[in-house]
Amino acid sequence: MTGDGHHHNAPPNPFLENRRNAAETRVLEERTRKLEELLVSKKLVATDALDRLVDLYENDIGPTNGAAVVARAWIDPDYRQRLLEDATAAIRELGFGGMQGEHMVVVENSPEIHNVVVCTLCSCYPWPLLGLPPDWYKDPAYRSRVAIEPRRVLKEFGLELAESTEVRVWDSSAEIRYLVLPERPEGTERYSEAGLAALVSRDAMIGVALVEPPHK
Amino acid sequence: MNGMHDLGGLTCFGPVEREDDEPVFHDDWERRVFALSIASSALFGPIDRRRHALETLDPITYISSSYYERWLARLENLAVEDGLLTEQELASGQSSVPANVTVSPLDASAAQAVVEQGRPASRDTGRVSPRFSVGDRVRALDTRPSGHTRQPRYARGRVGVIARLHGTHCFPDTRAHGQGENPQPLYSVAFSATELWGSHASPQDRLFVDLWEDYLEPVSE
């Protein structure tokens, strides 16, 4: 949608409005407002902490963190090795870590193996590297189906894998959080680290997309 | 508990619906529910208890609610259960009785420190010597826990191979219920797709799931 001149004029919440009409949304707003006012007035939470948390996850913590890790692994074989052996420590080298990334494992794609990450029991996701998950990752369709029919789900994402490729699904059932290290695309031999990072999408690090070669 | 949240393997939900350029939050109330949940998390005990509070929402509510709707319901329920708020207060929005605890709420920098440091689930104590090694064949126990568990139903009774040792981690089945951290070895266990899903699955595909030692028993060759 980016660049089509339409996005900024679109309704603020077309997706959710499919599921909740305005009256239902008002009820949710009201419940939330009461809960916040009560917890703040009883001095159980502080407003400035709430504002900071929103700001961190809306503005600071997102997929560019994960992309920086991937790009470093692509240009630095020693870093790649450290990342595959002790991802939590290697990721901390670049300044990332913390809540929902306390115990990281990085799984590497190859021509023979494709990795994809899910949490079938809730919606566990590596927040410090990818930010908060998109709705589809949290919805029942993805959580249920990618476990049993990963190839069909990946095809819906536009990713058709060779029958000979081994698909590895990682179900985040514990406090381990998984990041996919995608394959570096052809045609990027002369790319800078920052140029490489710009190619790496959130979806490629979940494993529902590949990193596409740059346009000529 | 065999709950509505345990979705792995269902095929009834149709295509995965995606949204282009999806924002982090769709509505302001989602921002506040997210932040309230993180800022208050320490009040409500370990993550396992808070997860169980989502799993014990009634199943119709669970499956028909969005992610942050479930989080909102969880917060309301836990706050009442723990005596921080009353049902009447939630209905009226007016504070009528003091909370039954006194805490110093996180300020902005303390909240940021929680985000930056996280809360590791690994421990140096407990059962630190793993019973299984990489390559061992194991069977996920075919149990039916009455409370919280992180053993997905699809794995129960199935045979897999230890793929990786993750160290010693708190055991959700006890920690969720105030019955101790019970730290023990956590493994990545690889199951062939055909072992889990039958002959429709591609024989070379595998599913890796993290399972605690108490979920596993050895399989003799």
Side-chain angles (χ1 to χ4, degrees), chain A residues 94-144:
Chain A
L94 300 195
F96 308 127
M99 192 186 300
Q100 290 299 311
E102 292 93 340
H103 310 283
M104 288 296 310
V105 166
V106 170
V107 290
E108 185 179 36
N109 284 351
S110 71
E112 295 78 34
I113 295 168
H114 182 83
N115 295 283
V116 58
V117 180
V118 66
C119 174
T120 64
L121 296 173
C122 46
S123 303
C124 296
Y125 190 75
W127 291 4
L129 296 171
L130 299 184
L132 299 177
D135 275 358
W136 61 258
Y137 185 88
K138 302 179 284 192
D139 283 343
Y142 182 77
R143 286 169 50 196
S144 59

Side-chain angles (χ1 to χ4, degrees), chain A residues 20 31 34 36 42 51-52 58 99 102-103 135 145 151 163 167-169 171 173 175 178, chain B residues 14 22 31-32 51 64 69 76 89 91 97 112 115 119 121 150 154 204-206 208 210:
Chain A
R20 295 286 176 252
R31 280 169 62 193
K34 287 178 181 169
E36 177 172 346
K42 294 199 186 201
D51 295 340
R52 178 72 62 89
E58 210 156 34
M99 192 186 300
E102 292 93 340
H103 310 283
D135 275 358
R145 291 182 50 224
R151 289 169 185 270
E163 196 53 43
V167 177
R168 295 183 175 181
V169 177
D171 189 356
S173 52
E175 298 309 322
Y178 291 91
Chain B
E22 183 178 339
R31 289 187 181 88
R32 305 317 283 178
R51 285 207 183 104
S64 58
E69 286 170 23
E76 292 169 336
E89 287 176 322
V97 291
Q112 184 162 344
V115 168
R119 296 190 180 100
R150 294 292 283 182
Y154 66 73
Q204 71 276 27
D205 293 351
R206 291 196 280 172
F208 294 69
D210 292 328

Side-chain angles (χ1 to χ4, degrees), chain B:
Chain B
M1 186 189 74
N2 290 350
M4 182 57 77
H5 65 285
D6 189 356
L7 295 172
L10 298 182
T11 53
C12 51
F13 285 109
V16 178
E17 287 182 31
R18 289 178 285 152
E19 179 187 0
D20 290 336
D21 296 327
E22 183 178 339
V24 177
F25 301 103
H26 289 84
D27 259 325
D28 197 47
W29 71 266
E30 293 189 343
R31 289 187 181 88
R32 305 317 283 178
V33 166
F34 169 77
L36 284 166
S37 299
I38 304 301
S40 69
S41 55
L43 296 173
F44 298 120
I47 191 164
D48 310 291
R49 181 183 180 227
R50 287 178 275 127
R51 285 207 183 104
H52 194 53
L54 294 171
E55 296 162 5
T56 48
L57 295 173
D58 89 75
I60 306 300
T61 301
Y62 184 93
I63 207 66
S64 58
S65 299
S66 73
Y67 184 71
Y68 290 117
E69 286 170 23
R70 292 196 289 268
W71 279 34
L72 172 58
R74 164 173 64 180
L75 267 183
E76 292 169 336
N77 292 346
L78 286 176
V80 170
E81 190 176 321
D82 288 1
L84 305 181
L85 304 176
T86 65
E87 296 275 9
Q88 294 71 23
E89 287 176 322
L90 282 175
S92 69
Q94 301 298 315
S95 174
S96 51
V97 291
N100 63 350
V101 294
T102 308
V103 296
S104 22
L106 301 180
D107 63 14
S109 59
Q112 184 162 344
V114 168
V115 168
E116 288 170 353
Q117 289 156 23
R119 296 190 180 100
S122 59
R123 296 292 181 267
D124 298 326
T125 55
R127 206 188 311 159
V128 294
S129 303
R131 177 182 182 190
F132 303 112
S133 309
V134 170
D136 285 358
R137 275 158 53 85
V138 291
R139 178 181 289 105
L141 293 173
D142 195 2
T143 54
R144 193 169 61 185
S146 57
H148 180 63
T149 188
R150 294 292 283 182
Q151 184 183 4
R153 205 156 63 237
Y154 66 73
R156 292 186 204 157
R158 307 294 179 176
V159 173
V161 175
I162 301 286
R164 191 173 190 129
L165 279 61
H166 288 311
T168 307
H169 281 238
C170 296
F171 188 51
D173 300 42
T174 51
R175 192 165 70 148
H177 300 290
Q179 295 163 2
E181 294 193 333
N182 195 9
Q184 57 181 278
L186 174 69
Y187 305 90
S188 172
V189 183
F191 294 90
S192 77
T194 49
E195 167 74 5
L196 295 178
W197 315 115
S199 57
H200 292 290
S202 295
Q204 71 276 27
D205 293 351
R206 291 196 280 172
L207 185 150
F208 294 69
V209 54
D210 292 328
L211 299 174
W212 282 259
E213 197 164 271
D214 279 0
Y215 297 160
L216 301 172
E217 63 182 2
V219 174
S220 47
E221 296 299 330

Side-chain angles (χ1 to χ4, degrees), chain A residues 187-199:
Chain A
T188 58
E189 294 73 18
R190 300 159 75 96
Y191 271 57
S192 68
E193 189 173 346
L196 288 169
L199 299 174

